[in-house]
């Protein structure tokens, strides 16, 4: 049998991406642009939460949104109606965004003039957690119908998130979802996680979330 080398491609992909993500964060710092990476399963409420967030913050912050999707522009069409800069990023089948793709999106949206750029990542609890996008903070949404045990099943996603929004609390009476169990499971994965129960539908909790976000943006810009 001939000799051959084994190349650990995955590791080199991650190392390259981590380097690019670090550079991107430094560029964002210089330009005083805060990048939020918003992740969740499909249908947990990323786009709806963004709509509520934009309503409360668009008079205070210049906001731009990057809508990542495998192949559609439904969410970009929804968000662009809110009167903020919007761009659709087609990943061409990829289940996540990496730092290079995010940098292309930021250039496409001319993010230099923004206070807050939001990346709505591809709906998936696995792949997006593995790739640092260069974001200043990672947020994820877990919705009530998905169950209170998700942090046990997707440990990496919960461990890399700074904030977890528990969405769709308006439907709590109809699901076997225990808020305290959910909190306990999240904090077991990530004791530092900020947890905010919300309903993007009726607006509950959105003020607390936007207050947290605005404070983080100001801190990033002033530090
Ligand atoms: N009952 C309820 N439905 C919600 C809430 N937030 C979003 N939805 C619904 O959940 C579905 C998926 O929401 P969407 O924002 O598109 O999720 P995304 O795929 O994560 O962007 C839509 O039918 C929304 O109207 C909520 O707080 N409560
Ligand atoms: Mg969406």
């Amino acid at each position: 049998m001939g000799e051959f080398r084994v190349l650990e491609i995955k590791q080199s992909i991650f190392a390259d991406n981590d380097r690019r993500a670090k550079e991107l964060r430094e560029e964002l710092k210089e330009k005083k642009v805060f990048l939020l990476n918003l992740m969740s399963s499909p249908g947990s409420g990323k786009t709806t939460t963004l709509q509520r967030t934009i309503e409360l913050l668009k008079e205070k912050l210049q906001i731009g949104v990057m809508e990542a999707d495998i192949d559609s522009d439904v969410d970009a069409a929804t968000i662009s109606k809110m009167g903020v800069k919007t761009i659709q990023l087609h990943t061409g089948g990829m289940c996540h965004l990496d730092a290079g793709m995010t940098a292309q999106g930021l250039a496409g949206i001319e993010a230099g003039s923004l206070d807050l750029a939001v990346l709505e990542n591809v709906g998936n609890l696995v792949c997006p957690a593995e790739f640092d996008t260069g974001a200043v903070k990672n947020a994820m949404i877990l919705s009530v119908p998905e169950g209170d045990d998700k942090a046990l099943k997707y440990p990496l996603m919960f461990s890399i998130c700074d904030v977890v929004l528990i969405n769709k609390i308006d439907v709590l009476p109809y699901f076997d979802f225990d808020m305290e169990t959910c909190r306990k499971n999240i904090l077991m994965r990530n004791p530092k996680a900020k947890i905010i129960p919300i309903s993007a539908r009726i607006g509950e909790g959105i003020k607390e979330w936007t207050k947290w976000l605005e404070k983080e943006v100001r801190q990033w810009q002033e530090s």
Side-chain angles (χ1 to χ4, degrees), residues 89-119:
L89 308 177
H90 278 165
T91 64
M94 297 271 277
C95 57
H96 65 272
L97 261 84
D98 63 18
M101 293 151 97
T102 306
Q104 285 180 50
L106 288 165
I109 204 170
E110 295 171 341
S113 60
L114 301 175
D115 299 305
L116 169 64
V118 183
L119 170 64

Side-chain angles (χ1 to χ4, degrees), residues 36 38 46-67 75-87 109 116-120 200 206-207 209-210 213:
L36 178 79
L38 183 60
K46 295 182 292 304
T47 307
T48 315
T49 301
L50 268 177
Q51 288 178 277
R52 298 292 88 78
T53 306
I54 292 165
E55 279 165 7
L56 286 197
L57 291 182
K58 77 170 180 185
E59 303 300 331
K60 299 179 177 180
L61 301 171
Q62 286 294 323
I63 303 175
V65 177
M66 299 179 282
E67 285 292 344
D75 290 346
T78 305
I79 295 295
S80 65
K81 289 190 196 123
M82 308 284 306
V84 296
K85 267 188 181 179
T86 310
I87 195 167
I109 204 170
L116 169 64
V118 183
L119 170 64
E120 180 177 333
I206 298 294
K207 258 204 183 125
W209 152 241
T210 51
L213 182 57

Side-chain angles (χ1 to χ4, degrees), residues 3 23 40 49 74 89-90 92 99 128 138 140 156-157 161 186 192-193 204 208 223:
E3 283 189 10
E23 280 168 16
S40 83
T49 301
V74 178
L89 308 177
H90 278 165
N138 288 321
M140 78 152 296
L156 185 62
M157 174 57 83
C161 275
I186 294 168
K192 288 193 194 144
E204 213 174 318
E208 186 185 351
S223 64

Side-chain angles (χ1 to χ4, degrees), residues 40-48 75 120 167-168 170-171 199-201:
S40 83
S41 308
S44 304
K46 295 182 292 304
T47 307
T48 315
D75 290 346
E120 180 177 333
N167 190 30
K168 309 197 185 181
D170 54 296
V171 298
S199 166
R201 181 158 170 261

Side-chain angles (χ1 to χ4, degrees), residues 6-18 96 126-127 130-131 156:
V6 176
L7 199 57
E8 299 293 343
I9 292 175
K10 203 169 173 189
Q11 206 166 29
S12 95
I13 289 174
F14 285 146
D16 286 349
N17 186 63
D18 285 352
H96 65 272
V126 182
C127 317
E130 295 184 326
F131 287 85
L156 185 62

Side-chain angles (χ1 to χ4, degrees), residues 4 6 10 19 21 36 39 44 59 65 79 86 90-91 116 118 122 133 137 149 153 175 183 202 219 222:
F4 58 87
V6 176
K10 203 169 173 189
R19 208 172 308 120
L36 178 79
M39 297 172 284
S44 304
E59 303 300 331
V65 177
I79 295 295
T86 310
H90 278 165
T91 64
L116 169 64
V118 183
V122 180
T133 56
K137 295 284 170 183
D149 59 355
K153 297 183 178 177
F175 287 87
R183 279 180 187 276
I202 60 172
Q219 269 175 12
E222 285 158 16

